[in-house]
Amino acid sequence: MSDEPNKDDADNGIVKDEAKAADKAEPADDLKTTHHTLGDLAYTATTGRIVLREEITEDDKFNGRKPKAEVSITWYTVDDAEVTDRPVTFAFNGGPGSSSIWLHMGLLGPRRVDSGDAGSLTPPPYGLLDNEESLLRHTDLVFIDPVSTGWSRAVEGEKAKDYHGFTRDIESVGEIIRLWTTRHNRWLSPKFLIGESYGGTRGAALADYLQSRFGLFLNGVMFIAPAFNTETLYHASRSELPDPLFLPTYAATAHYHGLHPDRALEDVVDEARAYADEFRAVLAKGQNLTPEERAAAVAKIASLAGVSEDYVDRANLRLEHTRYYAELLRHKRLVTGRLDTRFTGPADHYTHERMPYDPFLVGTDGPYTAALQYYLRSELEYENEHVYERLSRAVHPWSYKEFEGEAVDVIGKLGNAMRLNPFLQVHVAMGRYDGGVPIEAIEYTLDHLEIPLADRERIETKTYPAGHMMYVHEESRIQQSADLADFIQRAANRGNRG
């Protein structure tokens, strides 16, 4: 028998070694670039996933930058623009667990979904439209899907839950912004953030983090229905904040659904707002209320909110919002929306204590998802067969360990960013029928922002006659697009250039 090695065995060994090496190869960016026009506007679109790497130090030894996640991202840049004049805006939604699909396909991007609106939804298979009012006309756009949303995933062997919390979310999204800014040489571009809902929580913290960690100072932050302070939004033991702050939204919702037939919307809302201080005092008294005081409060709340006095009395004056949206139109066998209380839908039965689902989310999920899936493949030419997580439950429970024993409140971080950056401008958009983050809750929190009084001029607020995603309402979308464009142009510090 020969002692020479078998050539086939050696070749097989080489193949196996190469296969193992391929299996262990680091993930690489997976991007597709295409070119488009929107009227006379020529632009380039890039979409796919980029690798998020982190510096690793163990036992005081630097071990390099290791891949931790692949983050799905889409960006649009106008062709032949001077980058020092051209603004760039980084956009994300909230959740936690939401992808950027809503701002991307509903308001900002060059193409938008044909979804319809409350009472007139577009039926399947839906459609796509040119977004003539796209903010791309005024700023380049970068849409970011945080880890575990969209197509963003932890790399093999890493734990996704490491990113499912307040601080790590800020750090990872902040790193994507730093990385994109560096790769595309945009440090001298006017830079903006826009975040919706929990994206407002993230945006306020990012404004502070980006400048303190990287020296990346922003021109402006745009907030869409921002969740700044959870104490104003959710019932907690002995809290007197949510109920008075939600009452104007309840009054507006009751008016929209015909329960204040002989009154103007403004009159009903103004009455609810005027009652806020007295309402807080009533709640603060607890069982020290006299029978007469309690009866008067019950009558007032019931009258404004459009529900029975018996219901208000049984609720002990506190109309928790998911219960209220199940109760308001129970007599019509309907449930109202939460994120947009103009929307309604049927239930399987009408003894639910809390709303069994949100008609707004159900009404918009199908159109947005279909539009994005078709658009990315057919027009942006990107292929990915993984599930696009538009609203991921995998991120829960979300970690708020930094706020243990207290409400999640980021208004202090926004205040710090504004104090340290005297040029930072703030735009806040609010929806009159937003039953998740009411106007009055946002205003209350902004009123407690600790900045010099003169600096409050750097904050502007806009109100629209719709809900959380106010841009599903066509008139609001057009006006909001104009308002955002105006804000960008003023805050960019570049005159009318770009």
Side-chain angles (χ1 to χ4, degrees), residues 199-213:
T201 312
R202 180 185 293 123
L206 271 173
D208 185 34
Y209 176 77
L210 288 171
Q211 64 188 38
S212 63
R213 175 66 181 89

Side-chain angles (χ1 to χ4, degrees), residues 216-283:
L216 194 159
F217 281 64
L218 301 166
N219 288 71
V221 187
M222 295 164 281
F223 297 106
I224 312 296
F228 287 137
N229 178 3
T230 59
E231 187 181 7
T232 65
L233 304 177
Y234 299 103
H235 280 75
S237 178
R238 294 179 296 281
S239 173
E240 273 77 57
L241 285 181
D243 294 280
L245 296 174
F246 271 78
L247 188 59
T249 296
Y250 296 162
T253 302
H255 182 276
Y256 183 87
H257 292 292
L259 300 179
H260 293 293
D262 300 321
R263 301 188 62 184
L265 172 64
E266 293 76 11
D267 291 342
V268 177
V269 170
D270 287 348
E271 182 181 350
R273 288 170 65 97
Y275 182 62
D277 289 340
E278 183 179 347
F279 195 178
R280 289 190 192 96
V282 165
L283 294 173

Side-chain angles (χ1 to χ4, degrees), residues 91 103-110 131 134-136 141 143 194 484:
L103 285 175
H104 188 176
M105 302 305 297
L107 178 63
L108 304 179
N131 185 6
S134 171
L135 204 60
L136 182 60
L141 298 168
F143 295 94
I194 184 168
L484 292 172

Side-chain angles (χ1 to χ4, degrees), residues 360-483:
F360 169 77
L361 282 179
V362 172
T364 54
D365 187 20
Y368 274 77
T369 303
L372 182 79
Q373 293 278 6
Y374 177 85
Y375 172 62
L376 290 179
R377 286 170 173 78
S378 66
E379 298 187 18
L380 300 194
E381 301 178 10
Y382 179 72
E383 295 291 336
N384 192 319
E385 294 184 354
H386 293 163
V387 173
Y388 185 89
E389 297 288 355
R390 63 248 187 263
L391 283 171
S392 174
R393 300 301 303 173
V395 306
H396 298 285
W398 190 259
S399 173
Y400 294 108
K401 62 183 180 181
E402 302 82 0
F403 301 93
E404 187 172 357
E406 59 186 35
V408 177
D409 186 353
V410 295
I411 202 66
K413 294 185 180 296
L414 179 60
N416 193 57
M418 293 186 70
R419 288 191 300 271
L420 299 184
N421 179 359
F423 304 103
L424 181 65
Q425 304 291 317
V426 175
H427 172 97
V428 183
M430 306 175 289
R432 181 66 275 169
Y433 300 103
D434 185 346
V437 186
I439 290 173
E440 286 70 25
I442 298 171
E443 291 178 336
Y444 175 90
T445 305
L446 290 174
D447 287 344
H448 291 77
L449 184 62
E450 295 178 344
I451 56 174
L453 288 178
D455 287 343
R456 299 193 69 82
E457 294 181 357
R458 291 192 273 142
I459 303 172
E460 67 178 29
T461 60
K462 300 290 183 180
T463 300
Y464 304 93
H468 196 69
M469 289 165 44
M470 57 283 298
Y471 42 88
V472 302
H473 178 247
E474 183 67 359
E475 292 181 9
S476 295
R477 183 189 66 80
I478 293 172
Q479 183 61 56
Q480 184 172 29
S481 298
D483 291 340

